[in-house]
Amino acid sequence: MKPRPPTMRGKRRYILVRMDPPGLDLDGRELYYAISESLTDIFGDAGVARIQPSVVSCGEGYAIIRCTRSAEEKVIAGLATVAYIRERKVAIRSILTSGTLRSLRQHLDTLRDGQSFPERDVTFQKRPWISVRFRGTKVDLFEKGFKNQERLFLTEDDLEE
Amino acid sequence: MQYTDACVFPLPLGDSSLRRMAFEARELGFDSIVAAGVAGSVYRGIEIIGGTLIHAKETREVQAVLRKDTPQPSLPIVSAGGYSFNRAVIQAGWAKVIREIHTTPRNSFDHIISRMAADKQVAVDLDLSVLIQERGYMRQKVLQRYADLVSLQGRFDFPFTISSGARSILEMKSRRDMIALCGLFGLDREGALSALGNVSRIIHREKPVEVVA
């Protein structure tokens, strides 16, 4: 079968997104279901059929989402309403929209810093925590324990006080 | 223009410290944030504006809160109530921002109060967190209410502010996300950007010209 010529294919837009909190390990399928559910809630089945969302790539805290041209604002709104995936609190933040994958991948190369996240034990508000440091002066605290681990988002300045 | 997230709730009301929220706000494209229950300050170039949230059923409770001595001036944000409450609060100029209008009956903010809010330059806050937390019927009601406010604003030109209502950095939204979410209820890009810049305009409001001699 001959492939359809480019001029007869539907135009697409690609959206680069960042997934927070750092260290989140999501696969493309989970992300797709979360986005699809969120978009269906807002725009309905007919709307999602027109938007045609799909996850092109996903990993290391970033993902690329594909949609039809002129539906990118709807997808960004849908991404902004995703609050939980697998009962974990997440934020999916759109960074850049482009008509080609290549430009997004070039931008993505500048964003990935490949930093490791050093951990150490700290005491905050008279309770023991494990602190994880991220880029800049960001520090996340994980409560020590087996169940219902609380997570706090602080800065180095907060810990030094 | 100074872009502001008009209401966030740092520790102990949420799970993120005020500094981390300010840090995150800068990454999300904001110049300042209004934080509930804190004093104003500046952290790494982000202006933190202290906000006083007032939940009251009667106007005298609002007065009582405003009369209390506060160490630093803060932005008075009053939760909306019934028609007469909203009218009194706006008329008296006690509130600079009215929020949670979606929780009140539809007739509690009509064309008369809209004109009054425009005259007094009292802003109406559009809290985007309810659009994210609610589903189904409740979300539809909020969208309807916000769309109604947008149509009133188009007619009477009272200021809007937009807030993420975030209790965590994960609930904070970027300018880009906020503009897209505002599109759901018919507030266009220019309107949303103008609303994001309204907090600084309200705080540094120019008084009408007075003849002094």
Side-chain angles (χ1 to χ4, degrees), chain A residues 21 41-42 73 76 80 89 91 93-94 96-97 135 137-140 152-155 157-158 161, chain B residues 11 15-17 19-20 23-24 27-28 43-44 135 139 169-173 176-177 180 184:
Chain A
D41 271 349
I42 301 172
E73 280 293 302
I76 293 169
K89 207 169 186 178
R93 309 191 193 283
S94 69
L96 192 68
T97 306
R135 64 191 144 76
T137 59
K138 296 177 183 178
V139 180
D140 289 5
L152 295 182
F153 301 95
L154 310 177
T155 62
D157 297 337
D158 293 314
E161 271 184 1
Chain B
L11 270 171
D15 66 8
S16 309
S17 72
R19 288 175 179 140
R20 180 69 180 266
F23 201 94
E24 204 70 28
E27 288 191 350
L28 296 174
Y43 180 71
R44 290 177 186 256
R135 288 280 185 279
R139 185 191 264 168
I169 55 157
L170 300 178
E171 293 170 13
M172 293 176 80
K173 299 291 163 211
R176 188 177 153 91
D177 290 347
L184 296 178

Side-chain angles (χ1 to χ4, degrees), chain B residues 71-83:
Chain B
Q72 277 198 325
S74 61
L75 186 71
I77 304 169
V78 178
S79 293
Y83 181 85

Side-chain angles (χ1 to χ4, degrees), chain A residues 72-83:
Chain A
E72 52 268 28
E73 280 293 302
K74 289 179 179 173
V75 176
I76 293 169
L79 292 169
T81 61
V82 176

Side-chain angles (χ1 to χ4, degrees), chain B residues 16 20 22 28-29 54 60-61 69 108 123 125 137 148 190:
Chain B
S16 309
R20 180 69 180 266
L28 296 174
I54 305 170
R60 63 174 176 220
E61 293 174 44
D69 287 336
S108 66
D125 184 52
Y137 174 75
D148 183 47
E190 285 71 33

Side-chain angles (χ1 to χ4, degrees), chain B:
Chain B
M1 194 185 292
Q2 187 175 343
Y3 296 111
T4 309
D5 185 339
C7 195
V8 297
F9 300 88
L11 270 171
L13 299 168
D15 66 8
S16 309
S17 72
L18 179 60
R19 288 175 179 140
R20 180 69 180 266
M21 283 189 142
F23 201 94
E24 204 70 28
R26 193 177 66 180
E27 288 191 350
L28 296 174
F30 290 98
D31 306 298
S32 54
I33 53 172
V34 177
V38 302
S41 58
V42 176
Y43 180 71
R44 290 177 186 256
I46 284 280
E47 187 185 0
I48 297 163
I49 301 162
T52 305
L53 291 188
I54 305 170
H55 298 272
K57 286 186 178 168
E58 292 181 35
T59 48
R60 63 174 176 220
E61 293 174 44
V62 179
Q63 264 184 305
V65 174
L66 292 174
R67 252 193 244 120
K68 276 184 192 166
D69 287 336
T70 49
Q72 277 198 325
S74 61
L75 186 71
I77 304 169
V78 178
S79 293
Y83 181 85
S84 54
F85 176 86
N86 294 344
R87 188 173 175 151
V89 164
I90 293 170
Q91 179 79 57
W94 293 327
K96 286 198 173 173
V97 180
I98 291 248
R99 72 191 302 265
E100 294 179 350
I101 282 198
H102 61 276
T103 60
T104 61
R106 195 182 170 97
N107 61 5
S108 66
F109 196 91
D110 64 358
H111 59 288
I112 298 165
I113 298 187
S114 300
R115 181 168 290 154
M116 213 177 272
D119 291 343
K120 298 276 180 183
Q121 284 295 293
V122 175
V124 173
D125 184 52
L126 302 172
D127 184 358
L128 299 180
S129 67
V130 283
L131 292 181
I132 294 155
Q133 287 158 8
E134 301 293 349
R135 288 280 185 279
Y137 174 75
M138 286 307 294
R139 185 191 264 168
Q140 290 160 22
K141 292 290 283 183
V142 175
L143 285 170
Q144 277 175 22
R145 199 67 206 279
Y146 283 0
D148 183 47
L149 286 171
V150 169
S151 73
L152 282 172
Q153 196 265 349
R155 183 88 188 261
F156 298 102
D157 205 26
F158 54 84
F160 271 142
T161 61
I162 300 174
S163 63
S164 65
R167 288 170 189 271
S168 166
I169 55 157
L170 300 178
E171 293 170 13
M172 293 176 80
K173 299 291 163 211
S174 64
R175 257 172 34 198
R176 188 177 153 91
D177 290 347
M178 283 187 170
I179 290 165
L181 284 169
C182 287
L184 296 178
F185 50 81
L187 185 62
D188 60 9
R189 186 185 164 79
E190 285 71 33
L193 282 172
S194 166
L196 288 171
N198 272 341
V199 171
S200 64
R201 279 192 216 114
I202 291 163
I203 291 172
H204 310 293
R205 185 162 51 196
E206 285 180 14
K207 290 182 180 170
V209 177
E210 288 176 29
V211 179
V212 291

